């Protein structure tokens, strides 16, 4: 017989939580302090020397494991520090941590209602409410997916299965196997600046990356709609079948918003599915100010599917991504994507897993639901507004500072992209090549100091540049953003630029 | 300028964690008590009445949100209760909760080394170590994916891209677009009892569910290898291209293990990729006893890819799934699946995201790493052994109890599948139809009482039956498992079986 009395999880966890609480509060406090580094940077080879990463035969118990957790905190990136400006996500917040703790304790699975009744209703309600923010009407709703790429993939699969239902069972291979197939090569349209997950989705689905048409963009990175239509016509002329148009709401590098309303007219004309990848910019819809003063979401209710990631701009912990549709909410996905799995699904329309491409699922909706409950739509909208204000102010500072040059002016969204141009590089013959080297060298120096974590990015036709993401609500213009410019300047002081240029 | 001093996340979280700790410890303690229900069952319509699921414009702050958390705990399934035996996962354990709390605080992203140095090395080390358990050699390793279905999908994509590299760019559409294509319809082979994620993967990839060949199984659910070879030959004769064989290590309903070594010989002969879906049974490899006394993993080092889910049998919190390969570890996936995404990947082989079909990723490897550190391979193996002992003992009890009848005897793994056959149903003409109704009615009654949460399952040729999963290390033979049989009997007392049968 199996002993049970020996296992008392409640008491053990109580002890461990108390010990953990001290460690994490101390960690977060350090992240808030002015003088703490974002990361104590080590290469993989160095890191192996300072942390014991061997997996033991005999367990290390509480003490050994807490030692490892301590080291993990010590050598990880402290995302509570607002000077972590490297990626499109920032640190989370208290309710974010609490919601993850709740999910851990529940250890629930959002695939069938029977095992996750409350969390299932939260998912239905929060996706419906987001649909309302876009003005998608009463039948809007959706599903949570494990990341923006997964949401985009689910959108593309749904479009294919809805427009060409025979593919679900027959596959493509239309000729000579099926001479009556009503379609040619399936072709996807997306802008040159869109995220690579659109390409990945197409290659996963066996459409081939050659069949993704990249539509040119204007000078601030927005899709050119006349070019889109021209390219669709060319595709049709070649006997191909355009079926999916992706518009981006907040591009990865520059932060551009494609004109959704105009694109939707083209999509309708050529019977294409209109998807919006708003993984980055989509949650700006929480701000009433954004909706009143920009045209970013104009026409978004005309999209067939819309991706947005509360884990980016809203501070919800990674991962939290949703795919929203005005067409019957999560039932659209179940109708187009479900396969018979009798052992699991017994026909309940509240079983959300039926519409996904997976089976078991983390109940990620709970996290955005609790964030919304805690801050309200207003609080989340204010976070967006604050980030936009900081980005505008920082853009102005960069614009006015000697040696710094903006890539886009004004910054389209929350990425501030710029070059630091040393005196000696001005007028250089191979300017683009040299400036890319300058950026990469300064980037390496700034990041390795650990004071900041920022990224650099490439773009066709211009040298690599710094891409600074203003997202954390704790970021300070003077303490953090101006200081970053100082740090870049300081890093440049002892670089021998002539040596760098001689390499080119 | 943006105010920063007003935001003190550390103090706010400290307060909230203390309050949360009391609630969750109380919750877990209830799950440990004999008299507590697994779930206070409510239909969606009822649940809407007892919980406020409206999403507010103005935030509810700490008090309002904690009120909601309290209701969420009250109406959710308490998976700490060992009488939750419905699915292949059970409740988690203290180190599981602590690891989720750590991940929440770090809010890290395991796509590039720069933002997740420690967690990246943990993923590399733990996948390598699991590869060693299978005897896959020094070059073994892998990646974490968001669930077993996602791991299986990544395996199938990798196989296709590796065997037919042109598909990545060209897509399928081989004729007439490419008369030189070296392949016909791509065909997948998997057993009749395998998980539906194999079918979903194929439909996602546009292979069509018609091109999945279901191989017959023997009387305890294992793939018949002679049938596999016969079906491959038929497929080749029809000008199709068999390319992917999925063996299952622990089927979803019965818990059967396909004979990997024999299947691998067929895979080699016909140049197919051999994948093993060990989402459920794969982690039994942690038990030395299992390796010594069963042939479940015999030949597993010959698989090209192998899925296993520590979130099922090892008690790691959902989601934690890994895809292991002996061919160069995670680098195999990067080589076959990566697309150019210069803005993110700057060429570091430690950037694990390059091999996935996504972009941002939860660092799920950390959770299995910490569980291994805490319990050791031995402790995790003992959990497996204990579950197997309980399953064997429970099987014996069911075998010897009047009115109960086992579907498989002995139980192949940790699922105990059986019927309760009321006296009046014995010898019934439409036995299968009637018995399915009996099972479903008893299942409904047992679950709605809230004392247990168990599942029923269908299988070709036999009536629906109860499927009880023995997984939780806290399960007691007498208190929980024998009591379940009592509860089923009690539930049957006031059912008018003749009424049920007259319906048929």
């Amino acid at each position: 017989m199996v002993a049970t009395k020996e296992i008392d999880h409640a008491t053990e966890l109580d002890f461990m939580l108390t010990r953990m609480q001290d460690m994490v509060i101390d960690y977060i406090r350090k992240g808030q302090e002015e003088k703490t580094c974002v990361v104590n940077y080590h290469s993989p080879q160095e890191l192996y020397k300072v942390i014991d990463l061997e997996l033991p035969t005999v367990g290390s118990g509480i003490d050994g494991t807490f030692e490892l957790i301590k080291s993990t905190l010590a050598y990880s990136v402290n995302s509570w520090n607002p000077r972590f400006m490297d990626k499109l996500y920032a640190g989370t917040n208290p309710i974010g941590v609490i919601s993850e703790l709740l999910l851990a304790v529940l250890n629930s699975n959002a695939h069938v209602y029977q095992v996750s009744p409350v969390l299932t209703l939260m998912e239905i309600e929060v996706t419906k409410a987001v649909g309302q923010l876009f003005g998608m009407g009463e039948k809007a709703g959706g599903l949570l997916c494990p990341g923006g790429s997964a949401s985009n993939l689910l959108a593309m699969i749904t479009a294919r299965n809805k427009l060409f239902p025979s593919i679900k069972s027959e596959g493509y291979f239309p000729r000579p196997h099926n001479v009556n197939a009503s379609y040619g090569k399936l072709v996807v349209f997306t802008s040159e600046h869109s995220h690579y997950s659109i390409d990945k989705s197409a290659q996963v689905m066996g459409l081939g990356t050659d069949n993704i048409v990249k539509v040119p963009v204007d000078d601030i990175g927005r899709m050119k709609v006349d070019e889109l239509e021209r390219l669709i016509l060319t595709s049709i002329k070649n006997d191909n079948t355009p079926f999916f148009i992706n518009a981006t709401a907040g591009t990865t590098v520059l932060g551009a918003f494609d004109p959704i309303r105009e694109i939707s007219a083209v999509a309708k004309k050529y019977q294409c599915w209109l998807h919006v990848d708003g993984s980055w910019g989509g949650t700006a819809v929480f701000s009433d100010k954004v909706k009143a003063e920009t045209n970013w979401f104009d026409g978004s209710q005309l999209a067939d599917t819309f991706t947005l990631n509360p884990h980016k701009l809203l501070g919800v912990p990674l991962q939290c991504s949703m795919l929203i549709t005005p067409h019957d909410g999560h039932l659209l996905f179940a109708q187009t994507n479900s396969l018979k799995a009798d052992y699991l699904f017994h026909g309940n329309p509240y079983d959300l897993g039926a519409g996904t491409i997976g089976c078991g699922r983390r109940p990620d909706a709970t996290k955005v639901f609790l964030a919304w409950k805690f801050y309200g739509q207003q609080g989340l909208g204010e976070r967006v507004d604050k980030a936009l204000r900081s980005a505008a102010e920082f853009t102005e500072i960069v614009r006015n500072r000697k040696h710094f040059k903006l890539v886009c002016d004004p910054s389209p969204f929350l990425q501030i992209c710029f070059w630091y141009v040393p005196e000696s590089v001005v007028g250089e013959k191979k300017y683009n090549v040299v400036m890319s080297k300058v950026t990469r060298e300064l980037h390496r120096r700034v990041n390795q100091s650990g004071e900041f974590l920022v990224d650099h990015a490439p773009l066709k036709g211009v040298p690599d540049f710094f891409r600074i993401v203003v997202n954390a609500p704790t970021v300070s213009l003077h303490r953090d953003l101006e200081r970053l410019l100082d740090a870049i300047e300081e890093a440049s002081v002892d670089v021998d630029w002539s040596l760098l240029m001689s390499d080119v």
Side-chain angles (χ1 to χ4, degrees), chain A:
Chain A
M1 202 172 131
V2 177
T4 58
K5 287 297 166 203
E6 74 199 39
I7 299 178
D8 177 4
H9 282 147
T11 303
E12 189 177 56
L13 181 59
D14 202 18
F15 177 77
M16 288 165 78
L17 270 179
T18 302
R19 192 158 165 183
M20 188 74 180
Q21 184 166 343
D22 291 342
M23 287 168 73
V24 304
I25 298 303
D26 181 56
Y27 183 75
I28 295 168
R29 199 152 271 143
K30 273 200 192 119
Q32 292 179 177
E33 278 165 11
E34 187 156 359
K35 289 293 166 206
T36 319
C37 283
V38 179
V39 59
N40 183 356
Y41 186 79
H42 285 69
S43 71
Q45 295 70 28
E46 293 163 342
L47 210 47
Y48 276 116
K49 287 182 199 150
V50 293
I51 307 193
D52 174 15
L53 291 174
E54 209 173 303
L55 288 157
T57 304
V58 179
S60 306
I62 295 179
D63 285 340
T65 309
F66 269 78
E67 200 51 47
L68 176 62
I69 291 173
K70 204 173 141 190
S71 306
T72 303
L73 290 168
Y75 296 105
S76 287
V77 170
N78 192 325
S79 60
W80 297 87
N81 192 323
R83 278 161 285 177
F84 170 64
M85 302 186 278
D86 186 341
K87 298 283 174 263
L88 301 177
Y89 65 96
T92 184
N93 44 40
I95 190 61
V97 175
I98 294 294
S99 60
E100 284 287 10
L101 181 54
L102 175 66
L103 289 185
V105 169
L106 289 173
N107 198 36
S108 197
N109 192 332
H111 60 353
V112 292
Y113 179 84
Q114 171 156 309
V115 298
S116 55
V118 184
L119 311 189
T120 294
L121 298 190
M122 283 181 171
E123 182 160 351
I124 290 172
E125 291 305 308
V126 79
T127 50
K128 193 172 173 175
V130 169
Q132 304 309 308
L133 293 180
F134 287 115
M136 285 184 176
E138 274 308 308
K139 294 181 90 182
L143 286 175
L144 276 280
C145 297
S149 297
S151 293
N152 290 340
L153 175 59
L154 183 59
M156 203 182 281
I157 295 163
T158 303
R160 183 200 62 191
N161 288 359
K162 185 82 179 170
L163 297 174
F164 311 102
S166 68
I167 288 177
K168 201 170 158 185
S169 51
E170 294 170 9
Y172 311 122
F173 309 114
R175 288 177 285 265
H177 296 285
N178 179 0
V179 286
N180 300 318
S182 57
Y183 52 88
K185 276 192 196 184
L186 302 183
V187 182
V188 169
F189 295 79
T190 191
S191 94
E192 281 177 342
H193 282 201
S194 64
H195 190 256
Y196 76 98
S197 58
I198 303 300
D199 304 58
K200 277 224 168 167
S201 297
Q203 85 89 356
V204 162
M205 290 168 62
L207 304 178
T209 49
D210 291 352
N211 300 309
I212 301 163
V213 176
K214 294 292 170 67
V215 183
V217 295
D218 67 15
D219 55 352
I220 59 165
R222 292 174 303 196
M223 184 190 281
K224 289 183 174 171
V225 184
D226 53 346
E227 285 290 302
L228 168 68
E229 183 159 15
R230 186 184 64 77
L231 289 164
I232 287 177
L233 285 170
T234 307
S235 184
I236 293 171
K237 210 173 147 189
N238 292 334
D239 273 342
N240 294 334
T241 306
F243 85 108
F244 187 90
I245 300 171
N246 173 65
T248 307
T251 57
T252 313
V253 174
L254 295 181
F257 285 77
D258 290 341
I260 301 175
R261 184 176 291 280
E262 293 171 52
I263 294 172
S264 80
V266 176
K268 198 171 173 193
K269 187 168 172 188
Y270 298 98
Q271 291 161 300
C272 289
W273 190 272
L274 174 59
H275 174 65
V276 180
D277 176 9
S279 292
W280 171 223
T283 52
V285 77
F286 277 80
S287 157
D288 293 333
K289 194 169 146 70
V290 163
K291 285 207 282 185
E293 296 177 10
T294 75
N295 59 359
W296 295 346
F297 300 113
D298 181 34
S300 56
Q301 74 279 14
L302 304 170
D304 295 297
T305 41
F306 199 114
T307 294
L308 67 172
N309 290 4
H311 76 230
K312 290 193 162 84
L313 186 46
L314 301 186
V316 174
L318 268 156
Q319 62 199 35
C320 188
S321 174
M322 43 171 71
L323 183 63
I324 305 294
T325 176
H327 314 307
D328 273 334
H330 69 275
L331 296 175
L332 165 73
F333 304 114
Q335 285 150 15
T336 44
N337 304 323
S338 77
L339 293 181
K340 239 168 116 66
D342 297 342
Y343 86 91
L344 180 64
F345 299 113
H346 307 312
N348 186 342
Y350 288 88
D351 289 347
L352 300 180
T356 70
I357 63 169
C359 176
R361 315 164 64 222
R362 281 200 105 227
D364 292 322
T366 306
K367 300 187 288 185
V368 58
F369 194 103
L370 290 180
W372 191 327
K373 180 82 180 174
F374 189 86
Y375 291 113
Q377 186 221 314
Q378 267 182 11
L380 296 172
E382 274 163 22
R383 178 179 167 134
V384 173
D385 295 340
K386 198 170 184 179
L388 284 165
R389 268 200 313 278
S390 300
E393 288 164 347
F394 184 45
T395 299
E396 195 176 330
I397 288 174
V398 175
R399 181 189 303 128
N400 295 325
R401 185 143 166 167
K402 209 177 160 188
H403 299 310
F404 288 86
K405 197 177 159 215
L406 289 162
V407 177
C408 279
D409 191 4
S411 301
F413 191 42
L414 299 173
Q415 297 102 303
I416 291 82
C417 297
F418 59 80
W419 297 278
Y420 174 79
V421 189
E423 205 76 61
S424 54
V425 174
V426 179
E428 177 63 30
K429 249 191 188 170
K430 296 182 174 175
Y431 180 80
N432 281 10
V433 185
V434 172
M435 263 311 300
S436 288
K437 288 192 82 167
V438 168
T439 299
R440 283 197 298 263
E441 178 60 19
L442 291 175
H443 169 263
R444 193 184 63 76
R445 288 174 178 233
V446 168
N447 276 2
Q448 292 222 338
S449 78
E451 189 186 351
F452 288 91
L453 211 56
V454 296
D455 209 355
H456 65 87
L459 205 65
K460 216 171 63 182
V462 298
D464 291 2
F465 47 82
F466 281 97
R467 184 197 68 163
I468 309 304
V469 183
V470 174
N471 179 343
T474 51
V475 76
S476 146
L477 198 62
H478 173 66
R479 187 193 68 176
D480 305 315
L481 295 168
E482 285 201 297
R483 170 67 203 138
L484 170 65
L485 303 184
D486 295 346
I488 292 173
E489 268 185 0
E490 288 164 18
S492 77
V493 169
D494 62 345
V495 183
D496 186 343
W497 297 117
S498 62
L499 202 69
L500 204 76
M501 286 186 276
S502 70
D503 254 17
V504 176

